[in-house]
DNA sequence: ATCACAAATGCGACATACTTGCAAAAAAAT
DNA sequence: ATTTTTTTGCAAGTATGTCGCATTTGTGAT
């Protein structure tokens, strides 16, 4: 995926947004990182160029527009990601290390569901989080 | 499951806890409720008999000892439950309505995982959350 | 290119969920 | 019953997220 400012701006405008500097930067960050990001991580990468409140607003707006998904909640942090490889009704699972908090997308891991969720319920999305230990924290 | 105070106290002591009144009440609440509970719900049920901070400490301690699981995060609330029907490496999935926030345990819904989470990673627990609409919010 | 308008931002204040330090109280051990 | 250890209540503190409002910034029209 190309991530130059012009194409990012176009993508934003197509999604109904003004292509402001902050939005271009945040969207570019997600594309460049290729992994889930939280507000805090975004702030750390951008420095004080963008206000905390603006980052929150951008994340909410992007999520509502479908440009981002809230991937999972990590402790107290909401973690967002591009909806790459996520269909309408499922999303790839994630791993989270309970020791160091490190997270990763699990691409080679499939989840099969069986059974009914109950009469009258409509399933729209499926979130799977595997908790455990990463290689670094395993030995300790 | 019997839930009289004496057996609750014994269960607590076996788990390495002092059987204080607050702990007995909180554990009894989970057993009687038979559904996931948040700190706020517990406070509402108990009234001012137990301090907010104590409830948080009890929930943390119980979770660390394996008496409870943190089932999922509902908005800003951490929701806990007894580890009934949850093995070491899997846990029954939950449903959450995106409209009204109502949640439920999915007992008749199995999740099978296939594939590797990666070399060196240790999976300890699996959290599955289905998001969608409940019967009440479906029509709107 | 400039202007005017709608929308986004920054800032400060607020809200909420949770945590921590510490003295007092309650279990358990003696 | 007395001592010891753990837990509790209270109050203050921290962290994450939200809101209102004046100011700034894109954008489309001129």
């Amino acid at each position: 995926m190309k991530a130059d400012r012009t194409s990012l701006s176009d993508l934003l405008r197509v999604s109904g947004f003004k292509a402001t500097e902050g939005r271009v930067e945040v969207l570019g960050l997600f594309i460049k990182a290729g992994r889930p990001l939280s507000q805090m991580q975004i702030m750390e990468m951008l420095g004080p160029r963008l206000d905390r409140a603006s980052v929150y607003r951008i994340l909410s707006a992007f999520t509502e527009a479908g440009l981002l998904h809230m991937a999972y909640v990590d402790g107290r942090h909401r973690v967002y990601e591009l909806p790459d490889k996520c269909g309408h009704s499922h999303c790839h699972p994630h791993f989270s290390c309970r020791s160091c908090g490190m997270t990763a997308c699990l691409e080679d891991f499939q989840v099969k569901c069986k059974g009914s969720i109950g009469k009258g319920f409509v399933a729209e999305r499926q979130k799977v989080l595997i908790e455990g230990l990463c290689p670094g924290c395993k030995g300790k």
Side-chain angles (χ1 to χ4, degrees), chain A:
Chain A
M1 195 166 184
K2 53 181 176 175
D4 58 283
R5 299 188 86 82
T6 312
S7 60
L8 287 180
S9 299
D10 289 347
L11 175 53
L12 284 168
R13 273 185 285 264
V14 165
S15 304
F17 291 110
K18 275 199 195 175
T20 61
E21 198 176 320
R23 292 185 175 167
V24 170
E25 296 225 38
V26 170
L27 184 55
L29 225 49
F30 273 98
I31 291 174
K32 214 168 67 182
R35 67 188 171 93
L37 297 173
S38 67
Q39 173 270 341
M40 224 175 49
Q41 292 172 307
I42 291 168
M43 288 300 284
E44 279 165 10
M45 295 187 207
L46 287 183
R49 274 185 292 169
L50 203 53
D51 188 74
R52 207 160 48 93
S54 300
V55 173
Y56 282 117
R57 281 188 280 233
I58 288 173
L59 290 174
S60 299
F62 281 8
T63 301
E64 196 172 343
L67 235 55
L68 289 179
H69 277 177
M70 201 189 73
Y72 52 87
V73 178
D74 174 34
R76 295 171 155 186
H77 303 269
R78 301 179 190 174
V79 185
Y80 296 81
E81 72 180 341
L82 294 170
D84 274 22
K85 295 158 203 148
C86 293
H88 184 57
S89 62
H90 75 284
C91 206
H92 62 268
H94 294 92
F95 175 87
S96 172
C97 176
R98 75 163 153 82
S99 173
C100 69
M102 159 270 180
T103 60
C105 301
L106 299 175
E107 312 282 3
D108 297 332
F109 192 79
Q110 288 90 38
V111 178
K112 280 254 185 295
C113 297
K114 235 176 123 174
S116 148
I117 62 170
K119 230 180 151 70
F121 288 85
V122 183
E124 291 181 339
R125 225 184 131 205
Q126 172 198 115
K127 286 185 186 171
V128 178
L129 181 64
I130 309 292
E131 286 181 345
L133 291 172
C134 72
C137 296
K138 191 175 142 190
K140 296 173 200 162

